[in-house]
Amino acid sequence: MTDAVRLELQGEIALITVNNPPVNALGHAVREGLLQAFQSAEADSQVRAVVLACEGSTFIAGADIKEFGKPPQAPSLPEVIEAIEGSTKPSVAVIHGTALGGGLEVALGCHYRIARKDAKVGLPEVKLGLLPGAGGTQRLPRLAGVEKALDMIVSGTPISAAEAVEHHIVDELFEGDLREAGLAYARRLVDEGRGPRRTGEQTQGLEGVDNEALIRAKHAEVAKRMPGLFSPLRCIAAVEAATKLPLAEGLKRERELFAECLNSPQRGALIHSFFSERQAGKINDLPADVKPRTINMAAVIGGGTMGVGIAMSFANAGVPVKLLEINDEALQRGLQRARDTYAASVKRGSLTEDTMEQRLALVEGVTDYAALAEADVVVEAVFEEMGVKQQVFEQLDAVCKPGAILASNTSSLDLDAIAAFTKRPEDVVGLHFFSPANVMRLLEVVRGEKTSNEVLATAMAIGKQLKKVSVVVGVCDGFVGNRMVFQYGREAEFLLEEGATPGQVDGALRNFGMAMGPFAMRDLSGLDIGQAIRKRQRATLPAHLDFPTVSDKLCAAGMLGQKTGAGYYRYEPGNRTPLENPELVPMLEAASQEKGIQRKALDEQYIVERCIFALVNEGAKILEEGIAQRSSDIDVIYLNGYGFPAFRGGPMFYADSVGLDTVLARVKELHARCGDWWKPAPLLEKLAAEGRTFTEWQAGQ
Ligand code: 3HC
Ligand code: NAI
């Protein structure tokens, strides 16, 4: 046995316990330990049944992701599971926490499964660019049927233990002690004379339905909803094999398809995304003994677009929140917006009416600052004007209790200047939510010059409480996300002057994998936002930097995007589908003519490089300035806030995979042709010269 797996005898029952913190992943030691333990139990004539349970907070959460890409070490997981399933003594898996991926596959290899009521089971491999490679695609459909198996394997979303019982994946639910429940179940098996019931020998899930039709339908769904993704189609092919081939051949086909996924570049990118998200929560220079403050009550100032969404985020997490507006009329508008947004979720079926009322009851509207005296955190989301922020922070300083966190949701103003409006700048931090704040997962936590460690740790803890992905950023115009997107949007617009249409640019970037093109995005958020930013930047940036002018022309014509029915595109009333805007055509021609540009057709690769490498070059500057802690943090921001395709790992990982020398060569060409916006970032030049990547530089820091 290994340290990670223990075998003990409880009378006639062999109890096998896995102990491999934090999530009992199936690393080499666990695989070896499991094989030995099951073999010992099989060989021991005293043993009549086997219980498999786990220590810690969860059942096995899958293969050890850190081992992918390294040389495989025997025994492989399929071998271990084959030995478990082949055993002549009945075995029961006792599931608590989450049985995920290889963890569920091990449980499916056991002959029976019981789960604690609050447990979840799932096959999330597709989210890592993989498919269940240890029999999951062959065994799950045999129990749950092809439709449910396809749903679980292609979406990767776990299901509750109760649902798992409904679909014959789990036999019984239990409450209380794991070992007691497992041993009691095993004793019942022995008493009732029930022997092994091997999942691989079951067929009920495969019978009596038109499996081919289900597979065709899933293909159509994947083509529509997951274009460009490599592993979902292989997931379907593996399940299809289960419907057509005997177990042994189906398992072989699954292994081949798994190997294809393992070798695909998307796997590397998606696993990078997984670890980057977890890494982002760690702050390099924060002493380990810093403890976050407790948050029992929140407040939000400003009940506009952002304020309402932020208040809803607190309510969704069960935190009572006071929403403050300038007057009762504005307040009622804000509260109504929260109600309408929840009501839309109820209508869609994603929320019950009871939950809606519970959440709304947590949001208390107020107009008097005195009501904020007990708040543990206050998030300001008023107009983006320094004067207004000053008024608000001075009042907060006067009324809030000592130790309250004073946060600003500003997207571009200087947080240090805002902090200076108070006598407690160490308690001020930026909490930069993304719109719609109740939906978007990203939270940029802006660390001011004077923000204390404790406040920073609390801000990260708030992010966790609100189920956000929090990333620490430093103070600069636009922080990380918007500072980079400004470069991206500007280059997209220069492409319009060179000859492209918004539809071509958006289409090229969507084909690259972006959730939305830059022009559809701008139409959605409103062109006046960008206009205000450009106005501010024109006042401070060197005069020789040229700005594109199409957006200004649209603004001058009152075409501000969806809210005015036209912008880069035209919209029919009540319909968000972008249609060609004929009034844009003369503006494009005029913009080109004013700069003496001969309009010409642009190819897709050029469009993509021009926009994406603009992100990368700025990202490199951000990294070198220390505005982001690590290149993977920039990736997390782009994956969670800007619709960057997860299968490309984020802009910095994508640049690494293209090769920084190639990226630099393009940046230099663009610098020579398009001017100083494209001045190569010194870090990009340095790494390209050294043949290193952003990821390697990060690791070497
Ligand atoms: N392998 C290695 N490390 C893992 C891991 C895994 N499968 N799952 C989680 N970890 C690590 C995390 O990186 C993190 O490490 P850190 O503390 O050093 O940052 C630590 O475990 C805790 O993880 P979380 O912060 O995510 O903890 P949570 O409690 O929030 O969530 C979880 C726990 C739901 C298990 C979540 O970690 C998760 O979803 N893990 C991935 C599960 C998965 O994808 N399994 C399938 C793997 S592929 C597979 O099994 C292939 C097979 O079919 C052959
Ligand atoms: P908004 O204009 O929709 O809402 C602002 C609200 O603040 C209004 O309802 C107004 O009545 C209220 N308000 C103004 N002065 C106030 C005061 N002194 N006290 C109390 N309430 C006051 O603006 P929006 O879009 O919600 O933006 C708010 C802040 O969030 C800004 O700093 C903005 O830069 C930032 N932000 C905006 C994002 C967006 O996509 N709209 C994204 C991220 C941040």
Side-chain angles (χ1 to χ4, degrees), residues 98-133:
T98 45
L100 296 179
L104 179 56
E105 291 174 303
V106 167
L108 292 172
C110 291
H111 305 140
Y112 301 88
R113 286 155 295 281
I114 61 172
R116 208 169 65 187
K117 271 192 166 159
D118 58 353
K120 286 188 170 174
V121 305
L123 292 172
E125 286 88 342
V126 72
K127 294 187 177 167
L128 303 174
L130 292 167
L131 54 84

Side-chain angles (χ1 to χ4, degrees), residues 22-23 25-26 57-58 61-66 68 77 98 100-103 105 123-125 128 130-134 255 258 274-275 278-279 282 464:
V23 296
L26 289 154
S57 60
T58 181
D64 186 338
I65 302 170
K66 294 191 182 91
F68 292 138
L77 189 55
T98 45
L100 296 179
E105 291 174 303
L123 292 172
E125 286 88 342
L128 303 174
L130 292 167
L131 54 84
R255 283 313 287 172
F258 182 79
F274 176 85
F275 283 120
R278 275 138 192 96
Q279 183 78 358
K282 300 180 175 110
K464 211 165 193 171

Side-chain angles (χ1 to χ4, degrees), residues 227-502:
L229 283 180
F230 187 84
S231 69
L233 292 174
R234 270 93 196 152
C235 290
I236 302 176
V239 174
E240 187 174 11
T243 67
K244 295 192 168 147
L245 302 173
L247 182 72
E249 283 177 51
L251 288 171
K252 193 162 156 269
R253 180 76 188 121
E254 180 194 79
R255 283 313 287 172
E256 289 164 2
L257 290 161
F258 182 79
E260 282 181 27
C261 292
L262 201 59
N263 294 327
S264 109
Q266 293 193 358
R267 188 266 305 166
L270 286 159
I271 287 182
H272 166 80
S273 309
F274 176 85
F275 283 120
S276 299
E277 201 172 290
R278 275 138 192 96
Q279 183 78 358
K282 300 180 175 110
I283 303 167
N284 288 336
D285 60 346
L286 199 67
D289 59 353
V290 175
K291 295 272 171 296
R293 298 176 190 165
T294 309
I295 303 296
N296 292 319
M297 187 198 286
V300 176
I301 317 287
T305 312
M306 293 306 290
V308 168
I310 297 168
M312 289 172 72
S313 296
F314 280 107
N316 295 349
V319 181
V321 53
K322 300 200 192 286
L323 181 63
L324 185 140
E325 257 292 352
I326 27 176
N327 56 40
D328 196 54
E329 196 192 333
L331 178 62
Q332 293 313 322
R333 256 201 318 271
L335 292 173
Q336 188 59 41
R337 187 179 318 183
R339 178 168 285 280
D340 292 347
T341 312
Y342 279 132
S345 303
V346 171
K347 203 167 162 202
R348 275 198 307 274
S350 55
L351 197 72
T352 65
E353 209 142 322
D354 280 356
T355 313
M356 166 170 106
E357 293 303 337
Q358 280 161 17
R359 292 184 183 177
L360 282 169
L362 290 172
V363 184
E364 185 192 340
V366 299
T367 50
D368 184 354
Y369 274 79
L372 311 186
E374 290 311 310
D376 300 301
V377 56
V378 185
V379 185
E380 164 279 311
V382 301
F383 301 135
E384 188 75 336
E385 286 168 30
M386 210 41 140
V388 189
K389 306 277 188 203
Q390 175 167 7
Q391 257 178 22
V392 170
F393 274 83
E394 283 172 357
Q395 291 187 78
L396 290 178
D397 198 18
V399 301
C400 289
K401 66 181 182 188
I405 310 267
L406 308 184
S408 173
N409 182 48
T410 180
S411 39
S412 56
L413 298 178
D414 180 350
L415 184 79
D416 293 328
I418 293 176
F421 297 137
T422 72
K423 289 190 264 329
R424 36 175 142 172
E426 66 284 359
D427 285 333
V428 178
V429 68
L431 288 179
H432 185 217
F433 290 81
F434 286 71
S435 181
N438 52 313
V439 176
M440 295 292 287
R441 290 182 75 217
L442 179 62
L443 180 66
E444 282 184 331
V445 172
V446 189
R447 183 182 201 169
E449 197 191 335
K450 299 204 170 139
T451 307
S452 76
N453 283 340
E454 203 180 273
V455 169
L456 189 63
T458 312
M460 296 302 279
I462 291 172
K464 211 165 193 171
Q465 207 173 354
L466 303 190
K467 295 202 166 63
K468 302 286 179 196
V469 179
S470 313
V471 184
V472 179
V473 300
V475 177
C476 67
D477 191 356
F479 310 122
V480 171
N482 286 347
R483 174 170 156 182
M484 286 167 66
V485 91
F486 171 70
Q487 312 293 326
Y488 170 84
R490 185 200 60 239
E491 290 308 314
E493 192 155 309
F494 275 136
L495 291 168
L496 299 186
E497 293 183 351
E498 288 194 5
T501 64

Side-chain angles (χ1 to χ4, degrees), residues 177-195:
D177 187 72
L178 303 179
R179 292 156 55 105
E180 289 312 315
L183 290 170
Y185 195 87
R187 285 191 193 107
R188 253 165 61 202
L189 290 176
V190 173
D191 292 347
E192 292 167 14
R194 284 195 279 159

